[in-house]
Amino acid sequence: MKKIGLIILLILLAIGVQPEIYGSEIPKEKVVLVKKFPEDGLQTKAVPWIDVDSNGNIFAVGNREHSIFKFSPEGKLLLTFGGWGQGPGELQWPAWISINNEFNQIFIIDNIGISIYDSEGKFIQKIRTFIPPLSLCATRNGVILLQPTPDKKEMINYYDRQGRLILSCGEKYQIDYSLSKEIQPGYLDRLVNDGKILSDGKYIYYVSHVFGEIKVFDFSGKLILRKKITGIKNLEMVRREYEKLFFKNGIKKNKDGTITTRLIFDDSYISGQNIYLLMRGEVEKGPSEILSLSKDNLDINERLSLPEEITPKHLCIIKPAGTNGGLFLVAFYDKVNEINLIGIFKKGVSK
Amino acid sequence: MKQQKQKKAQILAAISTPEKMLIGLGILLTIISAGFFAYHSFMDTCIRCINQIIKNDSGYYRYSAIYLISSVNSFCRPCAKYDQLKNDPDRRIIFLLEPDYSDADIENFRRAFNLTSKEDIRRMDSDWKKIYLKCNKNKWNLYYNFLIVINEGKVDEIRRF
């Protein structure tokens, strides 16, 4: 019996089926909730997109409320601005937020374009690009948008403060639209290229939330580095599954006409020397995790497990991880109390 | 109060079920036709205003398609017949955008929809803005876009999208 087993193993090895060894998976650490707010839950019907300005004020986007909520670093509601409409400063279904910390200017994506406000909620200007972005990143000189469309190869567009396009780069994932006949090419492009644009002022980072891959560009649009995130067995398995689905088998609509989004990450953020990724709980069939990657070599240097009783959706960093540990700001759905909240988490034991 | 209620009950009891159904149907039909006529008189006003403005420059608008654009994104490209209309070499296609569109917005609009220099793209002047507001009147405060097809100098079709 042992001999047969050995022969089978030898045959398998000979034809190239080699067992994958993941002995060096980075151990997980836990993060604990330090504080959550508001006490009675957010006024938002959906978990809000969040960002933090240089003074520590927290901005949360109420998509269905068409408004932005500003909280003090202590979690006190200071201001609400926006409101339904198409006039100056009004919003329709706002989503992603990005704050330029140099000028403390708040950039918001809504159905009409990009609205820019100061940190007191005063409207500054609107940029219309007519291609709904998947993500935005405010920079010193303008805004970088992730805008995949079927008729263009590049999906990263950099606009100056006046809304003029100054750079297009980043080839999108090319898929055979005929494999997924039930879905419009435009929508398919958005599904397969879903991700986030980040920047540290020196480079532009595209994080694919579908395939767990990061591409790094300089500000001339040149691809500097491209790397698939490795070191987590299940993440690599899910990636292979999604690659097979998008590039080989094709996507189909569900019976009720909906389309399931395939994501490994829900959000990502750049701070200090690291890129932080909010990994979905489904990947490891456990609680969601924050992965910390070195932005130089894109290797995972830390895995932080979030509490099981929350469904986190959006992430930003108040204090980058270091020797003293980081402070993470997470917008989440509290499964126990059935409310949306913002929480501050840190590594270690709860008080 | 009680007496009134009793009176009501007596009247209702005196009407048979088929009669009640007929009355209900009558009310429903009245509401629908009132809505229909209100919409058409409103659209007539909208068309009358457009006809007036195109009369002032009949040569320019004679055989054209005017898009009054408040906000639109590339997902709406198949909307409102653009792909069909652009293949008509004789038709002038005019995009009138909200007055607060910046030059960069207009350039982005041209690029997003792959428009050529053949199409006229400009901001609405005050007359067109007035027409837009008149045609767009709705109780939900929604800002629609409109396609106005003009044949032989007259409005042939108005489509809201």
Side-chain angles (χ1 to χ4, degrees):
Chain A
M1 200 63 188
K2 271 184 187 172
K3 271 185 184 173
I4 296 168
L6 195 69
I7 291 164
I8 291 171
L9 187 69
L10 281 171
I11 293 168
L12 285 173
L13 284 172
I15 58 169
V17 183
Q18 290 172 8
E20 286 168 290
I21 299 157
Y22 287 92
S24 61
E25 271 204 11
I26 294 154
K28 289 180 213 173
E29 286 181 80
K30 277 190 178 173
V31 288
V32 291
L33 186 66
V34 178
K35 188 181 182 164
K36 59 182 177 182
F37 58 88
E39 287 276 304
D40 48 351
L42 283 159
Q43 297 166 30
T44 59
K45 290 190 182 104
V47 179
W49 286 264
I50 48 170
D51 205 353
V52 63
D53 71 9
S54 60
N55 300 318
N57 296 307
I58 297 145
F59 292 79
V61 180
N63 172 263
R64 293 184 218 170
E65 295 72 26
H66 316 286
S67 296
I68 313 302
F69 303 92
K70 178 183 176 181
F71 296 93
S72 70
E74 293 75 38
K76 189 185 162 205
L77 181 65
L78 300 174
L79 185 69
T80 303
F81 58 93
W84 169 264
Q86 285 187 6
E90 293 172 332
L91 296 164
Q92 285 189 344
W93 311 105
W96 291 101
I97 180 170
S98 179
I99 298 177
N100 171 337
N101 275 322
E102 199 172 333
F103 304 111
N104 266 348
Q105 287 182 344
I106 296 122
F107 289 63
I108 313 274
I109 293 178
D110 79 342
N111 263 10
I112 313 298
I114 317 299
S115 290
I116 309 169
Y117 305 83
D118 70 12
S119 61
E120 294 309 310
K122 194 179 151 209
F123 175 70
I124 299 170
Q125 84 182 86
K126 182 168 268 181
I127 297 172
R128 296 176 175 90
T129 65
F130 307 97
I131 304 163
L134 281 170
S135 152
L136 90 167
C137 175
T139 68
R140 189 177 205 286
N141 299 318
V143 61
I144 311 167
L145 303 178
L146 180 63
Q147 296 178 303
T149 53
D151 54 355
K152 287 186 179 74
K153 250 185 178 180
E154 292 85 13
M155 61 173 175
I156 299 168
N157 294 322
Y158 185 20
Y159 297 86
D160 69 9
R161 292 185 151 266
Q162 278 71 48
R164 289 179 297 233
L165 183 69
I166 46 177
L167 174 76
S168 281
C169 67
E171 242 182 66
K172 64 182 185 182
Y173 289 107
Q174 303 278 356
I175 50 170
D176 182 355
Y177 297 126
S178 65
L179 288 174
S180 310
K181 281 178 192 155
E182 289 180 3
I183 302 166
Q184 278 187 1
Y187 194 75
L188 212 51
D189 263 339
R190 293 174 72 79
L191 280 180
V192 74
N193 293 293
D194 202 350
K196 198 165 176 193
I197 297 291
L198 308 168
S199 180
D200 54 4
K202 199 174 172 196
Y203 296 110
I204 301 168
Y205 300 81
Y206 161 68
V207 183
S208 164
H209 286 177
V210 180
F211 303 117
E213 185 178 36
I214 301 180
K215 296 178 191 177
V216 187
F217 304 89
D218 65 13
F219 273 82
S220 71
K222 192 180 154 198
L223 181 70
I224 303 291
L225 181 64
R226 177 180 184 167
K227 194 169 177 180
K228 287 179 178 175
I229 296 158
T230 51
I232 300 174
K233 183 182 158 192
N234 286 340
L235 186 152
E236 293 179 36
M237 244 168 59
V238 174
R239 171 168 46 229
R240 276 197 295 273
E241 189 190 310
Y242 289 172
E243 282 171 345
K244 199 173 158 191
L245 203 62
F246 278 105
F247 301 119
K248 209 173 163 194
N249 297 347
I251 302 274
K252 278 185 182 156
K253 281 185 179 176
N254 301 324
K255 276 180 188 167
D256 59 0
T258 56
I259 301 161
T260 309
T261 50
R262 270 84 181 179
L263 295 171
I264 290 174
F265 304 120
D266 272 317
D267 204 355
S268 35
Y269 203 83
I270 193 164
S271 183
Q273 291 308 305
N274 295 324
I275 291 173
Y276 298 87
L277 307 168
L278 182 61
M279 189 170 79
R280 286 189 155 193
E282 294 109 88
V283 178
E284 284 276 87
K285 295 185 176 60
S288 299
E289 284 179 43
I290 297 170
L291 308 180
S292 163
L293 278 73
S294 151
K295 69 177 185 182
D296 297 328
N297 56 20
L298 306 178
D299 284 338
I300 300 174
N301 49 33
E302 215 170 13
R303 287 179 71 178
L304 303 163
S305 185
L306 284 152
E308 201 140 8
E309 59 276 9
I310 67 165
T311 308
K313 282 281 166 199
H314 301 293
L315 164 81
C316 71
I317 311 302
I318 302 177
K319 203 171 93 188
T323 43
N324 302 324
L327 276 183
F328 306 95
L329 195 72
V330 179
F332 63 90
Y333 174 68
D334 180 339
K335 290 189 258 187
V336 180
N337 300 307
E338 298 183 336
I339 47 174
N340 297 319
L341 290 164
I342 297 172
I344 298 171
F345 293 84
K346 70 167 188 176
K347 264 198 314 185
V349 188
S350 181
K351 278 183 187 173
Chain B
M1 196 68 178
K2 257 190 181 178
Q3 276 179 342
Q4 268 184 345
K5 269 189 182 172
Q6 275 175 347
K7 257 190 184 177
K8 255 189 194 174
Q10 276 172 356
I11 294 166
L12 282 173
I15 306 169
S16 64
T17 314
E19 280 172 335
K20 274 182 202 165
M21 281 170 73
L22 271 174
I23 292 166
L25 197 68
I27 294 167
L28 195 72
L29 277 174
T30 316
I31 293 168
I32 291 170
S33 27
F36 180 78
F37 285 118
Y39 177 73
H40 273 268
S41 78
F42 155 71
M43 280 316 274
D44 282 347
T45 321
C46 174
I47 291 170
R48 210 170 37 242
C49 293
I50 297 166
N51 275 331
Q52 229 160 24
I53 205 168
I54 59 177
K55 215 195 271 177
N56 297 336
D57 202 350
S58 52
Y60 179 74
Y61 291 114
R62 203 175 154 270
Y63 191 65
S64 62
I66 305 166
Y67 286 87
L68 298 180
I69 301 288
S70 172
S71 80
V72 70
N73 64 48
S74 52
F75 271 162
C76 271
R77 188 178 308 201
C79 305
K81 290 168 81 167
Y82 173 70
D83 287 336
Q84 183 192 328
L85 290 165
K86 74 171 180 189
N87 292 326
D88 182 348
D90 300 326
R91 188 174 295 279
R92 189 192 296 272
I93 297 179
I94 305 155
F95 288 93
L96 297 177
L97 313 173
E98 281 280 5
D100 70 337
Y101 273 43
S102 68
D103 289 350
D105 290 340
I106 293 173
E107 198 43 47
N108 291 340
F109 180 80
R110 195 185 281 282
R111 193 181 317 104
F113 296 100
N114 292 324
L115 303 177
T116 59
S117 52
K118 196 191 136 203
E119 286 94 359
D120 284 351
I121 306 173
R122 57 176 201 266
R123 298 175 188 94
M124 292 178 205
D125 60 18
S126 58
D127 290 339
W128 273 112
K129 180 69 189 181
K130 268 183 217 160
I131 287 173
Y132 172 77
L133 291 172
K134 218 164 242 175
C135 299
N136 187 60
K137 224 174 193 177
N138 65 78
K139 63 179 174 184
W140 303 280
N141 270 343
L142 290 171
Y143 293 84
Y144 292 104
N145 305 302
F146 293 88
L147 162 64
I148 304 154
V149 180
I150 295 165
N151 290 328
E152 300 301 327
K154 283 202 169 147
V155 175
D156 201 28
E157 182 187 347
I158 294 190
R159 192 180 283 206
R160 192 172 74 176
F161 62 100

